[in-house]
Amino acid sequence: MNILDWNTLDPVRQAAALERPKLLRDAKLLAEVERIVRRVRKDGDAALLAYAKRFDGATPAALAVSEAEFRAAEKAVAPDIKRALKDAIGRIRRWHKAGMAKGFSVATAPGVDCGRIIRPIQRVGLYVPAGSAPLPSTVLMLGVPAKLAGCGDIVLCSPAQADGGIDPVILVAARLCGITQVFKTGGAQAITAMAFGTASIPRCDKLFGPGNRYVATAKQYVQGLPGGPAIDMPAGPSEVLVIADRDTDAEFAAADLLAQAEHGPDSQVLCLSDDAGKLADIIVAVRRQTARLPRAAILRKSLRHARFIRTASIAEALALSNRYAPEHLILAVRKAEALLPQVQAAGSVFLGPWASESLGDYCSGTNHTLPTNGAARAYSGVSVASFQLQISTQRVSRAGLRAIGPCAETLARCERLDAHAQAVRLRLDAA
Amino acid sequence: MNILDWNTLDPVRQAAALERPKLLRDAKLLAEVERIVRRVRKDGDAALLAYAKRFDGATPAALAVSEAEFRAAEKAVAPDIKRALKDAIGRIRRWHKAGMAKGFSVATAPGVDCGRIIRPIQRVGLYVPAGSAPLPSTVLMLGVPAKLAGCGDIVLCSPAQADGGIDPVILVAARLCGITQVFKTGGAQAITAMAFGTASIPRCDKLFGPGNRYVATAKQYVQGLPGGPAIDMPAGPSEVLVIADRDTDAEFAAADLLAQAEHGPDSQVLCLSDDAGKLADIIVAVRRQTARLPRAAILRKSLRHARFIRTASIAEALALSNRYAPEHLILAVRKAEALLPQVQAAGSVFLGPWASESLGDYCSGTNHTLPTNGAARAYSGVSVASFQLQISTQRVSRAGLRAIGPCAETLARCERLDAHAQAVRLRLDAA
């Protein structure tokens, strides 16, 4: 954790300073995923159960979570967690609802009304990983917008635990979101099942959710197969970029960097400032706080990718941020609001000292499923629109045809598409 | 061109009736595309020029279209075509502008304001094919929304013709859209150039546009590479589904089917009706009109994939349409408006006898870049949003932190993400 002085670096070192850790996605991984996809498409549920045993050490009695299991989960989860889930759902719903797209119709010429109608994607598949701990927040971040979108069929897959069940918090969160089709399967096998269907698991039109490199690779792979589903976005390790100035609270900034770093050994954190002293303070705080945290082993690994960069100005820091396009951007500076207009590419922006990134992960209301690994240059986070279709419409009267038909005919002839021209000409002759 | 009676088919034949023609995307094609991608990434402009010679029989003096070429194009294009392009741009702009997403901010709790800001994708790449004829409509359908989105850098690639130039109509259309960076390169090589950059062609964040199977395969392939760009959507052959009743004008319906069929030998057209007599009339009209059209050879090939299906009712026809999820859906029935609420999946819908599908291709105002091959179940057509980022924001005051911090801390502890919890706890202790 050294401080790099941006303006003393040559362009090669500058590029290296903003480079992400290499993803561990090699040919061997892809071959393994291909094998799993083939087997699940061939053997269906039997393959899912075999993989549950092999990868998760689990032998669930059935793939589908039963009503009895949902009821047992309700009893098992502490009231304060239930309350927190409900509170979070309320705010997540408020933000997502406010951002929903609406249908419209506009006259583009007399007698020509063009519009858009919004429809839910019919069947969506949500993936919820289960590693060392349950991730109910993933359920909320996918389940709430899916419901608001009006999706009729919501399928959720999560790996079975060693006891053959799914963590009760996941089940309670699913029910609170109105999701009842929950299946005990994980990894590339769950992705394949939702992509192409099995006897138990219905085939889904679009897949959502985070996961390890098997899951991420499988999502990208099935998306490219003939008849494969759409996916929310490409997935990479989580990352944060903090912009600090001399007013930044070093302890807060360090805590935000560590919150990101604890996701996994390949997570990346960057801290940019025009104040070298502040960067030094933040590094000291990171070291001190790390020692107190239980995931110190992961932290030490991911902090190897950390970057502390001194820039000539806050404007330069923001320019670098736009170039890096971070998943999370924390403007921990005194005049955060004044910087926002300059933000060009990021997943989500946090303004000012109190806006901890953790709040966005759980319950400020925004979605935490965000583009990583530079994808924030071209992708946006999950929203209700991610679960919807926008279908264009055109209503054309006889007068409308007369108004715009000749234009269409001219352009069709220019493209030498005579049948296109004729479809208009026949009508013009009859109109 | 026989009439299938839906309710006399067994489920296997029903599924076959709604199946699309197999795409010709084999391992050989992918290997060839991979070779092109590798070579362009290695040799840059030199590779582009070599491929122009080999695939397009062209030896352009430079890859970039010069100011002199733009000026010559202005003189070469007939005034009526220029006028049609301008008219079309006006309507395309009106519809796209009406559908633009807006930023917003909403208080999800006292002191917690969550919002969304809209930003253009910084650099976008548009691909315009050049086969037997220029396709200026593609330029408009991508250029107009890119400009409305505010994209600063718009790159356009199109294959060089045998004379080393680009069709003047393409250049005029590009200028009318405000696009000045036009390059003479096509196929998988153009896609690679825009995806990763060469000395002449800047690297783009997202690629748009139709193309042959090399282009479609290359887009999907570069999207999956590390650091690869986003793409608009997967591409397949064009298709239309017409729903007809006894009031449908058979000549109009036939003309619309043929307009779709002329795109290429793998295009697919379907016509569904509850009236067997009307289906027979439409088939007769298709045969008669085909004989008069210059692209009869292509038409005869693509009409092999045509389907004429008699359903028990118009409601059943619509249910089949939702299952098929056509790129274009023509409701050529008397009560088209009443059917619209039942439309669940389609790219674009045309209502009533005068709404020829060709109008949408050129100048009704809607976008003609639409999901094909069943992708309309999960993807939407191109719009201004396709060229923009939606970035979420959160502003949290001290009071806001006090209001929602405990909720975030509870959920972070439940997920055993202690650094997440600590980033909130530190602030709660200070607030």
Side-chain angles (χ1 to χ4, degrees), chain B residues 57-70:
Chain B
T59 50
L63 287 166
V65 170
S66 69
E67 184 52 33
E69 288 174 291
F70 275 116

Side-chain angles (χ1 to χ4, degrees), chain B residues 316-340:
Chain B
E316 186 177 64
L318 202 63
L320 297 189
S321 172
N322 286 332
R323 182 167 157 189
Y324 181 84
E327 180 190 12
H328 304 102
L329 169 60
I330 303 184
L331 301 176
V333 296
R334 202 158 63 95
K335 294 189 174 169
E337 201 64 47
L339 286 187
L340 193 58

Side-chain angles (χ1 to χ4, degrees), chain A residues 119 132 343 348 394 416, chain B residues 119 132 262 343 348 394 416:
Chain A
R119 295 289 184 267
S132 50
V343 173
S348 192
Q394 32 260 303
R416 275 168 244 158
Chain B
R119 294 289 185 268
S132 50
E262 80 171 332
V343 173
S348 191
Q394 32 259 302
R416 275 168 243 157

Side-chain angles (χ1 to χ4, degrees), chain B residues 4-65:
Chain B
L4 302 170
D5 192 336
W6 183 257
N7 290 293
T8 65
L9 300 177
D10 62 46
V12 173
R13 277 162 190 246
Q14 287 185 337
L18 295 185
E19 214 159 75
R20 280 155 166 102
K22 277 249 179 310
L23 288 183
L24 289 168
R25 305 235 172 109
D26 50 16
K28 201 176 141 234
L29 172 66
L30 184 61
E32 215 169 323
V33 165
E34 280 176 357
R35 207 159 34 237
I36 295 171
V37 171
R38 256 199 317 273
R39 180 153 170 216
V40 173
R41 293 187 76 171
K42 187 169 147 279
D43 297 338
D45 289 344
L48 298 180
L49 290 168
Y51 283 125
K53 192 162 181 185
R54 184 161 136 205
F55 293 139
D56 309 317
T59 50
L63 287 166
V65 170

